Amino acid sequence: PQGDILDYIQKLDQNNYKYTSNFYWDIIFEMICGLLYFHNKGYIHFDIKPTNFLVDNNGYIKLNDFDLCHKIEELSFLDDINEGDSRYISKELFDNNDNISMSNIDNRSDVFSLGLSLFEILFRVNLPENGKLWREVRNDNFSVPQEFWKNIKIEKIDEFLKLIESMVTPVNKRYTLLQIIQEFPE
């Protein structure tokens, strides 16, 4: 009823909502829990993005759009997958077209996409579909472009950036959702 998470936040913006860190942590926690539940059922979503998180009338977040999901145990039998939106695709899925075996893909690809989704929500930016910034986001040393800082609606962004960085690092260093929850602020 409230649309996707971006629609919901846009409505709050229009009503001059006073954002707090707790507001964002609550949203992030619900997004992580929904995706963790899905992962615990043995699936990878492959299309995590803000528009696939819907908000109900009570403000609860619901994961949506399972058209591209696959069972983790079936990945080693696939030659290729239909991945989701290019703005959120992880580096290892992109590289998969070259040499990486599908058996090396796991649910940390969704974690990468969730990290970029959080980045988009917090910084109020539209991520690029390709180009220089698209490649920079997938490099080991990504930093937030200066022009993105103007849209921040909260004061304590450092903890959020630390979380996002743990989600968009190379797959061998990337946190799992369980690790993220264990380090989640109280």
Side-chain angles (χ1 to χ4, degrees), residues 46-163:
F46 288 117
D47 197 21
I48 296 297
K49 57 187 175 183
T51 55
N52 283 340
F53 287 94
L54 304 180
V55 183
D56 71 13
N57 276 331
N58 297 315
Y60 293 112
I61 312 293
K62 310 289 182 186
L63 182 58
N64 182 37
D65 191 0
F66 304 102
D67 292 342
L68 299 179
C69 74
H70 287 285
K71 286 284 262 180
I72 294 170
E73 62 196 31
E74 297 169 355
L75 292 180
S76 61
F77 300 108
L78 299 175
D79 293 329
D80 196 12
I81 60 159
N82 291 322
E83 67 274 347
D85 193 318
S86 67
R87 292 173 292 178
Y88 308 95
I89 189 171
S90 65
K91 184 177 187 326
E92 63 272 12
L93 283 176
F94 178 77
D95 286 347
N96 185 49
N97 295 332
D98 296 332
N99 292 323
I100 297 177
S101 165
M102 289 302 294
S103 63
N104 294 329
I105 302 296
D106 63 26
N107 54 27
R108 290 175 293 176
S109 293
D110 283 348
V111 173
F112 182 93
S113 301
L114 182 60
L116 289 184
S117 297
L118 299 180
F119 181 79
E120 186 171 23
I121 290 166
L122 291 167
F123 281 85
R124 306 288 205 288
V125 296
N126 293 318
L127 295 173
E129 293 180 15
N130 54 39
K132 182 180 183 240
L133 180 58
W134 186 92
R135 287 186 302 277
E136 285 178 8
V137 167
R138 286 151 185 85
N139 286 338
D140 294 353
N141 53 358
F142 171 72
S143 63
V144 178
Q146 195 62 35
E147 65 268 20
F148 287 3
W149 288 99
K150 66 182 180 203
N151 298 319
I152 295 293
K153 301 277 186 184
I154 55 174
E155 292 179 14
K156 298 179 181 179
I157 192 69
D158 290 344
E159 289 181 7
F160 294 104
L161 279 175
K162 182 180 173 188
L163 171 65

